[in-house]
Each structure stands twice: as structure tokens, then as C-alpha cells.
Amino acid sequence: MNRSAARHGPPVLAFAALLLLAGCHHAGPSDVLRPSNKFVLDLVGRYDAGRTKADSAAVAPLLAPGFQLITAQGASLGRDSLLVRVAAGGDQGTRSDVSVKLFDRVTLVESHWSGGGPAGSPPDDQRCTMVWVLRDPGWQVVLDQCTAVPRPAS
């Protein structure tokens, strides 16, 4: 056993591995166990960047087993279906008006998504709620539900 392992013991090493697996190498223990708004916004930013840049490898570790995306049109996509959609071209849009509600092992993120789904789909406005849960190997999204915001009558 190296000196670092002997000095810090298995729990510290296990926690360090947890952080690396979660892709949170910059995060401290308090960020993972009791995240700050900035930490959560960074997770959401990574999720959005992966989806809009068609980077399923970036999105996959953020999706919990059993993940569900409920689209504004009412479709339900599971984890594998979303990853296929992302790999095929991703989603087009931007998130704004983000509100984070922190709880012990659950975080709710409410936001406005402007854009739409895959390239070529009609643009729309949506209100979205995401549920993030602290799991092994870290924070993962279990639900992303969006509701269409009706366009004003012209």
C-alpha cells in the first residue's frame, strides 16, 4: 500500500474514486454531498452541452438508470432512446430562467427551454423540471419533464 493510502485509508480513496467516476474532479466532498447552486448549474450545463452538441458520451454518465425524458409533445424517452437521439444530432435550444431547489439527496431544477428537439423540428418554448438524485457514482438526472408554453394568439 502506498503512503497516501496508508495515511488516508480506504474511505478517502473510495470517495476520491466516486468523484472521478462522477466527472467531478474539481468538486469537494461538500459539493457532492450538499451541492451548491453553482455545482448543480454546472451539471445542467454539461447535460445541455452534450445534448446540443450531439455528444452522447458526455450525456451518458449524467443519466440515471431508469431515466425518463417527457417531451413537451408528450413522448416518453428512456435513457437509451435519449442517447440514440443525442448521437443522431442532438437537440437544439437554450435553457434560461433556471431555478435550483436543493434537498438532501435530491435537487429540482426548473427552467425555460427555448428551441426544440432534434434539428429540423419546429421551435417551441417549454417549461421544464429536472430531478437530480445523488446516486453511486454521483449526481444523475432521473427525470426531465417539459411542458409546452402556448404561443400567444396572433
Side-chain angles (χ1 to χ4, degrees):
M1 182 180 295
N2 67 33
R3 288 183 194 189
S4 177
R7 190 170 52 240
H8 298 295
V12 171
L13 295 176
F15 187 74
L18 171 73
L19 292 177
L20 290 173
L21 287 173
C24 304
H25 58 277
H26 63 282
S30 63
D31 282 333
V32 172
L33 299 177
R34 183 67 114 168
S36 65
N37 278 8
K38 181 184 179 324
F39 181 84
V40 174
L41 293 173
D42 287 347
L43 285 174
V44 173
R46 288 174 34 211
Y47 173 77
D48 289 346
R51 285 183 58 187
T52 59
K53 294 178 181 172
D55 186 353
S56 58
V59 175
L62 299 173
L63 303 179
F67 166 85
Q68 288 291 297
L69 168 66
I70 310 298
T71 69
Q73 296 75 32
S76 177
L77 299 176
R79 185 181 194 282
D80 293 341
S81 297
L82 178 63
L83 291 172
V84 166
R85 175 172 156 164
V86 169
D91 293 319
Q92 308 305 309
T94 57
R95 193 176 304 276
S96 61
D97 259 348
V98 181
S99 168
V100 175
K101 292 175 178 52
L102 303 169
F103 301 96
D104 286 336
R105 297 179 62 88
V106 176
T107 297
L108 302 178
V109 177
E110 299 171 336
S111 64
H112 176 250
W113 178 264
S114 182
S121 64
D124 59 1
D125 286 326
Q126 305 171 20
R127 292 299 304 171
C128 300
T129 301
M130 300 171 76
V131 179
W132 291 79
V133 177
L134 180 58
R135 306 175 62 117
D136 183 10
W139 285 95
Q140 294 181 312
V141 61
V142 295
L143 177 70
D144 186 357
Q145 167 134 16
C146 297
T147 302
V149 176
R151 295 192 182 276
S154 44

